[in-house]
Amino acid sequence: MEKTAVIGAGIMGRGIALVYALHGWSVALHDTSGEALEQAKTLIGTDLTLLADEGLISAAECQATLDNITPTASLKEAVGDAGFITEAVPEQLALKWQIFSRIEAHAPATAIIASNTSTLPLSELSRQLAQPERMLITHFFNPAHLVPLVEIVRAENTPEETLTTLLNLLRRAGKTPVVLKKEVPGFIANRLQAAILREALHLVESGVASEQDIDLAVTAGPGFRWSVIGPLETADFGGLDTWQSVMKNLAPELDCTPTTPAVLKEMNRRGELGVKTGQGFYAYPDRQTIADKIRFRNLAFIRLLKQHRQE
Ligand SMILES: NC(=O)c1ccc[n+]([C@@H]2O[C@H](COP(=O)([O-])OP(=O)(O)OC[C@H]3O[C@@H](n4cnc5c(N)ncnc54)[C@H](O)[C@@H]3O)[C@@H](O)[C@H]2O)c1
């Protein structure tokens, strides 16, 4: 299988296209927006240049990757001869269903279909397919070309061969796949991220510390450790007797409100959506500031990635 297609050329789709193109696949990148396709090529070029500047790829690989990506406004053309198709359109079930039925109509009957959904259950996504067993979830993390993890959700009737093909494909693309044993909303990583964000928002609302200090308490503390050992191994090193006492004292104190945190709703109401509107918990006053911050962040991720690949 050497041809793949990615449907949706936004934040995630363009990163996923880069991943497969970099590792030798020919990638048809489809979007209904001509502007998104144009922008995707430019931003993929910027990401590749940084990888080359940091010595992760050669100038020749940079050019070959760009050459491997064919942007197209036609979904039919994109999936017509693809053995593997990744959907990365906005998180709306009806829209995704519409895309899947068009993929089924135009793609080879043997093609594996993957969704990059963050939250929608596989059983719902695949419900209208004639061959639901050929759909899986491959959940990448932004920026998809740098974060190694891809969470995989399979159905009970996913053939072992399909899963094996997918795992081989992701490993060949330099990714670290994790397969869930059963379907659960938010998979693994988003549940953990959401639990931490809920508590961080609770600390902001309670005036316990500044936004900067709350972030620093994670990046210089647990986050520093978690890039090497996860929370369960961290607990083993701390001692499970100690953690039992910590949980006994702290569990009743932690926020467990079963609704969207009020501070998040209020910021959304004010149009403070973060980077995309120039204001979130921090200010992003202009495009240059944002570009500089993304470059700084990606350089740090590249350092981590180099370390991850040596392990
Ligand atoms: N952004 C993240 O951090 C992130 C992380 C993991 C998973 N996801 C998931 O990935 C998916 C895509 O998210 P994103 O952040 O890339 O969104 P995005 O809005 O950046 O990109 C979506 C793209 O899909 C295109 N599109 C819309 N309708 C289309 C159609 N009918 N046919 C083809 N293209 C169409 C849009 O033009 C846009 O370019 C969502 O399911 C999201 O939940 C996002």
PDB file of all heavy atoms in Angstrom, residues 298-310:
ATOM      1  N   ASN A 298       7.864  24.258  18.738  1.00  0.00           N
ATOM      2  CA  ASN A 298       8.246  23.132  17.884  1.00  0.00           C
ATOM      3  C   ASN A 298       9.716  22.761  18.053  1.00  0.00           C
ATOM      4  O   ASN A 298      10.074  21.586  18.009  1.00  0.00           O
ATOM      5  CB  ASN A 298       7.932  23.429  16.409  1.00  0.00           C
ATOM      6  CG  ASN A 298       6.431  23.322  16.136  1.00  0.00           C
ATOM      7  OD1 ASN A 298       5.656  23.034  17.041  1.00  0.00           O
ATOM      8  ND2 ASN A 298       6.031  23.556  14.911  1.00  0.00           N
ATOM      9  N   LEU A 299      10.577  23.762  18.274  1.00  0.00           N
ATOM     10  CA  LEU A 299      11.995  23.465  18.514  1.00  0.00           C
ATOM     11  C   LEU A 299      12.156  22.630  19.785  1.00  0.00           C
ATOM     12  O   LEU A 299      12.928  21.673  19.823  1.00  0.00           O
ATOM     13  CB  LEU A 299      12.794  24.761  18.640  1.00  0.00           C
ATOM     14  CG  LEU A 299      13.208  25.410  17.317  1.00  0.00           C
ATOM     15  CD1 LEU A 299      13.794  26.796  17.552  1.00  0.00           C
ATOM     16  CD2 LEU A 299      14.229  24.530  16.589  1.00  0.00           C
ATOM     17  N   ALA A 300      11.390  22.993  20.821  1.00  0.00           N
ATOM     18  CA  ALA A 300      11.455  22.224  22.077  1.00  0.00           C
ATOM     19  C   ALA A 300      10.919  20.810  21.851  1.00  0.00           C
ATOM     20  O   ALA A 300      11.484  19.828  22.344  1.00  0.00           O
ATOM     21  CB  ALA A 300      10.652  22.940  23.161  1.00  0.00           C
ATOM     22  N   PHE A 301       9.825  20.680  21.075  1.00  0.00           N
ATOM     23  CA  PHE A 301       9.276  19.346  20.771  1.00  0.00           C
ATOM     24  C   PHE A 301      10.296  18.520  19.982  1.00  0.00           C
ATOM     25  O   PHE A 301      10.408  17.315  20.173  1.00  0.00           O
ATOM     26  CB  PHE A 301       7.978  19.453  19.967  1.00  0.00           C
ATOM     27  CG  PHE A 301       6.776  19.884  20.771  1.00  0.00           C
ATOM     28  CD1 PHE A 301       5.639  20.374  20.140  1.00  0.00           C
ATOM     29  CD2 PHE A 301       6.750  19.791  22.153  1.00  0.00           C
ATOM     30  CE1 PHE A 301       4.521  20.774  20.859  1.00  0.00           C
ATOM     31  CE2 PHE A 301       5.634  20.182  22.889  1.00  0.00           C
ATOM     32  CZ  PHE A 301       4.516  20.673  22.232  1.00  0.00           C
ATOM     33  N   ILE A 302      11.030  19.170  19.070  1.00  0.00           N
ATOM     34  CA  ILE A 302      12.021  18.436  18.261  1.00  0.00           C
ATOM     35  C   ILE A 302      13.122  17.887  19.164  1.00  0.00           C
ATOM     36  O   ILE A 302      13.566  16.751  19.000  1.00  0.00           O
ATOM     37  CB  ILE A 302      12.582  19.349  17.137  1.00  0.00           C
ATOM     38  CG1 ILE A 302      11.523  19.514  16.035  1.00  0.00           C
ATOM     39  CG2 ILE A 302      13.871  18.774  16.547  1.00  0.00           C
ATOM     40  CD1 ILE A 302      11.843  20.545  14.979  1.00  0.00           C
ATOM     41  N   ARG A 303      13.521  18.672  20.172  1.00  0.00           N
ATOM     42  CA  ARG A 303      14.541  18.179  21.113  1.00  0.00           C
ATOM     43  C   ARG A 303      14.023  16.932  21.842  1.00  0.00           C
ATOM     44  O   ARG A 303      14.722  15.941  21.992  1.00  0.00           O
ATOM     45  CB  ARG A 303      14.919  19.271  22.122  1.00  0.00           C
ATOM     46  CG  ARG A 303      15.881  20.309  21.568  1.00  0.00           C
ATOM     47  CD  ARG A 303      16.579  21.062  22.687  1.00  0.00           C
ATOM     48  NE  ARG A 303      15.662  21.782  23.548  1.00  0.00           N
ATOM     49  CZ  ARG A 303      15.178  23.000  23.293  1.00  0.00           C
ATOM     50  NH1 ARG A 303      15.552  23.639  22.206  1.00  0.00           N
ATOM     51  NH2 ARG A 303      14.357  23.591  24.136  1.00  0.00           N
ATOM     52  N   LEU A 304      12.750  17.004  22.277  1.00  0.00           N
ATOM     53  CA  LEU A 304      12.153  15.853  22.964  1.00  0.00           C
ATOM     54  C   LEU A 304      12.047  14.649  22.038  1.00  0.00           C
ATOM     55  O   LEU A 304      12.279  13.511  22.438  1.00  0.00           O
ATOM     56  CB  LEU A 304      10.746  16.206  23.458  1.00  0.00           C
ATOM     57  CG  LEU A 304      10.626  16.998  24.748  1.00  0.00           C
ATOM     58  CD1 LEU A 304       9.164  17.335  25.012  1.00  0.00           C
ATOM     59  CD2 LEU A 304      11.174  16.172  25.919  1.00  0.00           C
ATOM     60  N   LEU A 305      11.691  14.929  20.782  1.00  0.00           N
ATOM     61  CA  LEU A 305      11.531  13.852  19.808  1.00  0.00           C
ATOM     62  C   LEU A 305      12.852  13.134  19.576  1.00  0.00           C
ATOM     63  O   LEU A 305      12.898  11.904  19.495  1.00  0.00           O
ATOM     64  CB  LEU A 305      11.006  14.441  18.488  1.00  0.00           C
ATOM     65  CG  LEU A 305      10.597  13.457  17.399  1.00  0.00           C
ATOM     66  CD1 LEU A 305       9.483  12.534  17.871  1.00  0.00           C
ATOM     67  CD2 LEU A 305      10.141  14.219  16.150  1.00  0.00           C
ATOM     68  N   LYS A 306      13.932  13.906  19.499  1.00  0.00           N
ATOM     69  CA  LYS A 306      15.254  13.289  19.302  1.00  0.00           C
ATOM     70  C   LYS A 306      15.551  12.345  20.466  1.00  0.00           C
ATOM     71  O   LYS A 306      16.027  11.234  20.282  1.00  0.00           O
ATOM     72  CB  LYS A 306      16.336  14.376  19.227  1.00  0.00           C
ATOM     73  CG  LYS A 306      16.353  15.117  17.890  1.00  0.00           C
ATOM     74  CD  LYS A 306      17.426  16.194  17.920  1.00  0.00           C
ATOM     75  CE  LYS A 306      17.478  16.963  16.616  1.00  0.00           C
ATOM     76  NZ  LYS A 306      18.289  18.173  16.707  1.00  0.00           N
ATOM     77  N   GLN A 307      15.229  12.804  21.681  1.00  0.00           N
ATOM     78  CA  GLN A 307      15.467  11.988  22.876  1.00  0.00           C
ATOM     79  C   GLN A 307      14.578  10.737  22.838  1.00  0.00           C
ATOM     80  O   GLN A 307      15.024   9.629  23.101  1.00  0.00           O
ATOM     81  CB  GLN A 307      15.157  12.830  24.102  1.00  0.00           C
ATOM     82  CG  GLN A 307      15.394  12.126  25.419  1.00  0.00           C
ATOM     83  CD  GLN A 307      14.791  12.925  26.566  1.00  0.00           C
ATOM     84  OE1 GLN A 307      14.854  14.146  26.587  1.00  0.00           O
ATOM     85  NE2 GLN A 307      14.181  12.224  27.494  1.00  0.00           N
ATOM     86  N   HIS A 308      13.294  10.923  22.463  1.00  0.00           N
ATOM     87  CA  HIS A 308      12.332   9.823  22.405  1.00  0.00           C
ATOM     88  C   HIS A 308      12.813   8.743  21.438  1.00  0.00           C
ATOM     89  O   HIS A 308      12.675   7.556  21.700  1.00  0.00           O
ATOM     90  CB  HIS A 308      10.987  10.391  21.943  1.00  0.00           C
ATOM     91  CG  HIS A 308       9.879   9.399  21.902  1.00  0.00           C
ATOM     92  ND1 HIS A 308       9.171   9.016  23.017  1.00  0.00           N
ATOM     93  CD2 HIS A 308       9.353   8.693  20.878  1.00  0.00           C
ATOM     94  CE1 HIS A 308       8.262   8.125  22.675  1.00  0.00           C
ATOM     95  NE2 HIS A 308       8.350   7.914  21.387  1.00  0.00           N
ATOM     96  N   ARG A 309      13.404   9.158  20.315  1.00  0.00           N
ATOM     97  CA  ARG A 309      13.857   8.193  19.303  1.00  0.00           C
ATOM     98  C   ARG A 309      15.086   7.417  19.752  1.00  0.00           C
ATOM     99  O   ARG A 309      15.350   6.348  19.242  1.00  0.00           O
ATOM    100  CB  ARG A 309      14.160   8.920  17.987  1.00  0.00           C
ATOM    101  CG  ARG A 309      12.868   9.325  17.305  1.00  0.00           C
ATOM    102  CD  ARG A 309      13.107   9.871  15.943  1.00  0.00           C
ATOM    103  NE  ARG A 309      11.835  10.207  15.328  1.00  0.00           N
ATOM    104  CZ  ARG A 309      11.700  10.921  14.244  1.00  0.00           C
ATOM    105  NH1 ARG A 309      12.753  11.389  13.630  1.00  0.00           N
ATOM    106  NH2 ARG A 309      10.510  11.179  13.761  1.00  0.00           N
ATOM    107  N   GLN A 310      15.834   7.989  20.722  1.00  0.00           N
ATOM    108  CA  GLN A 310      17.028   7.283  21.216  1.00  0.00           C
ATOM    109  C   GLN A 310      16.658   6.226  22.255  1.00  0.00           C
ATOM    110  O   GLN A 310      17.449   5.358  22.570  1.00  0.00           O
ATOM    111  CB  GLN A 310      18.007   8.274  21.847  1.00  0.00           C
ATOM    112  CG  GLN A 310      18.816   9.030  20.800  1.00  0.00           C
ATOM    113  CD  GLN A 310      19.509  10.251  21.390  1.00  0.00           C
ATOM    114  OE1 GLN A 310      19.442  10.473  22.595  1.00  0.00           O
ATOM    115  NE2 GLN A 310      20.135  11.031  20.552  1.00  0.00           N
TER     116      GLN A 310
END
